[in-house]
């Protein structure tokens, strides 16, 4: 064998044994919110933290606004491993991680910080639930407190009678709005603006950040502060794909997820009051209906929605004093 061949083989062997080069791990992550919305900002923070913790050896490539599909497609792509990471509403993910249906229950947490404290305190239980369904839980972001956006102002629960209200494609959400007297109409988030504009639906439930980010005030100029749901946005990977990452990258990713989630949840809190005030400048009628009738109508869901031992155990842990 010639010296030239020996030299080449030696070089290739050294290259194979060398450490991972900068940005050698690029994880594609998709979501359906607009770029710059609070969920997207959380992912941007996670990317920044991951790069810092790995000295640039790992990064996130973020696809916002449903570029890679709707929420169901996002979850299923993560399950199949054709997408590295996904961030969706809990309402969609709980169709696959059944224990997470607890987070779909109305009026469960009084504030975003309260939700964050419970999530962090019960992380191991939540991670185990995700693992059982083939996912690795990376972070739990906030999608804000959800209210009502409608064509006509809502001043009381009675005003919802017979109204077609868009909900997520989630059984608990559908039953909640049926209990409130509305005609719940599940549909994809990407279809909502057009549905409001054309009158296919009379309104929708959603957070102030989404109402602002998607400019829903242009087609639904009334916003009722009912705070019916404290919505989470879990970030997940396929468990097998996560386990295949180098150990140092796995550690850095989990640390970045936890730190980004704490930052993001506070960021959402900071946005809420200024956003609601800004709606008035767009000509939005902001109302504050009495929430007691909504809370009373929600109570039967606590019994009917929690059907498995895992759901009941997580509910008990999250609501314990």
């Amino acid at each position: 064998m010639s010296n030239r061949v020996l030299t080449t083989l030696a070089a290739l062997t050294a290259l194979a044994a060398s450490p991972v080069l900068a940005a050698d791990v690029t994880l594609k992550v998709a979501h359906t919110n607009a770029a710059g919305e609070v969920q997207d900002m959380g992912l941007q923070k996670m990317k920044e933290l991951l790069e810092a913790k790995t000295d640039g050896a790992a990064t996130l490539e973020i696809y916002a606004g449903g570029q890679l599909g709707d929420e169901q497609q996002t979850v299923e792509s993560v399950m199949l491993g054709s997408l590295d990471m996904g961030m969706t509403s809990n309402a969609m993910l709980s169709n696959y991680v059944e224990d997470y249906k607890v987070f779909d229950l109305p009026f469960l947490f009084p504030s975003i910080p309260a939700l964050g404290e419970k999530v962090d305190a019960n992380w191991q239980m939540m991670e185990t639930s995700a693992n059982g369904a083939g996912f690795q839980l990376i972070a739990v972001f906030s999608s804000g407190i959800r209210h009502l956006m409608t064509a006509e102002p809502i001043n009381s629960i009675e005003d919802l009678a017979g109204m077609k209200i868009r909900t997520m494609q989630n059984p608990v959400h559908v039953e909640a709005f049926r209990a409130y007297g509305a005609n719940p109409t599940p549909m994809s988030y990407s279809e909502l603006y057009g549905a409001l504009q054309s009158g296919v639906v009379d309104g929708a439930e959603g957070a102030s950040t989404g109402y602002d980010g998607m400019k829903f005030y242009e087609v639904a100029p009334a916003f009722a502060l009912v705070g019916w749901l404290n919505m989470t946005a879990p970030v997940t990977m396929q468990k097998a794909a996560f386990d295949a990452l180098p150990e140092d990258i796995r550690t850095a990713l989990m640390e970045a997820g936890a730190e980004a989630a704490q930052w993001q949840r506070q960021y959402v809190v900071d946005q809420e009051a200024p956003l609601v005030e800004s709606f008035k400048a767009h000509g939005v009628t902001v109302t504050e209906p009495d929430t007691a009738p909504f809370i009373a109508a929600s109570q039967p869901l606590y019994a009917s929605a929690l059907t498995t031992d895992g759901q009941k155990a997580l509910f008990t842990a999250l609501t314990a004093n």
Side-chain angles (χ1 to χ4, degrees):
M1 189 176 292
S2 70
N3 289 336
R4 180 178 179 184
V5 172
L6 288 172
T7 301
T8 301
L9 288 174
L12 289 172
T13 300
L15 180 62
S18 66
V20 174
L21 298 177
D24 199 54
V25 176
T26 299
L27 301 171
K28 292 184 178 180
V29 53
H31 66 92
T32 61
N33 300 97
E37 279 194 58
V38 292
Q39 301 91 338
D40 184 70
M41 295 301 290
L43 288 175
Q44 297 290 349
K45 186 68 173 180
M46 190 190 300
K47 175 181 178 178
E48 173 190 319
L49 289 165
L50 180 61
E51 290 175 349
K53 290 176 182 296
T54 62
D55 293 326
T59 188
L60 301 182
E61 193 172 280
I62 302 168
Y63 293 85
Q67 295 177 65
L68 302 186
D70 62 21
E71 289 207 318
Q72 183 170 338
Q73 291 169 322
T74 298
V75 175
E76 292 178 350
S77 294
V78 170
M79 289 179 69
L80 294 171
S82 57
L83 175 65
D84 297 315
M85 295 172 62
M87 179 182 67
T88 66
S89 65
N90 183 81
M92 179 55 68
L93 185 64
S94 66
N95 291 320
Y96 302 84
V97 184
E98 290 192 347
D99 290 355
Y100 288 7
K101 288 188 185 296
V102 172
F103 291 94
D104 297 328
L105 291 169
F107 301 102
L108 190 61
F109 302 102
S111 67
I112 292 171
L115 181 152
E117 288 174 10
K118 292 295 186 179
V119 165
D120 293 343
N122 295 282
W123 183 265
Q124 186 171 358
M125 182 180 288
M126 293 182 59
E127 187 174 49
T128 298
S129 295
N131 292 167
F135 294 93
Q136 174 63 39
L137 184 63
I138 305 296
V140 177
F141 291 167
S142 170
S143 281
I145 307 293
R146 298 178 78 84
H147 306 289
L148 284 168
M149 59 182 91
T150 52
E152 300 296 329
I154 299 295
N155 293 292
S156 70
I157 194 171
E158 287 78 18
D159 292 339
L160 279 175
M163 289 184 67
K164 292 176 290 184
I165 300 295
R166 179 266 176 180
T167 68
M168 294 184 182
Q169 294 157 308
N170 179 279
V172 179
H173 291 204
V174 171
E175 288 307 310
F177 277 86
R178 190 168 286 132
Y180 304 153
N183 178 12
T185 307
M187 69 170 59
S188 172
Y189 189 65
S190 61
E191 299 172 6
L192 180 54
Y193 189 100
L196 288 166
Q197 187 175 43
S198 63
V200 169
V201 294
D202 303 309
E205 57 80 39
S208 58
T209 51
Y211 186 65
D212 177 70
M214 299 297 287
K215 298 185 179 181
F216 288 131
Y217 50 78
E218 295 176 344
V219 289
F223 199 69
L225 301 174
V226 295
W228 85 278
L229 186 68
N230 199 333
M231 174 66 81
T232 58
V235 182
T236 60
M237 283 190 71
Q238 182 197 64
K239 178 69 165 90
F242 175 80
D243 290 343
L245 292 172
E247 183 178 359
D248 59 334
I249 301 298
R250 294 199 305 269
T251 299
L253 181 59
M254 293 304 294
E255 290 178 355
E259 292 172 26
Q262 291 184 346
W263 176 89
Q264 190 268 351
R265 292 192 295 255
Q266 184 58 50
Y267 180 78
V268 177
V269 172
D270 294 342
Q271 303 304 302
E272 181 79 5
L275 274 180
V276 172
E277 282 302 309
S278 74
F279 297 157
K280 297 173 184 177
H282 292 295
V284 173
T285 300
V286 178
T287 59
E288 297 186 47
D290 180 9
T291 58
F294 287 90
I295 294 171
S298 301
Q299 295 310 301
L301 291 171
Y302 282 65
S304 63
L306 304 180
T307 59
T308 71
D309 290 341
Q311 291 166 357
K312 293 172 184 176
L314 185 55
F315 175 80
T316 299
L318 291 170
T319 56
N321 293 326

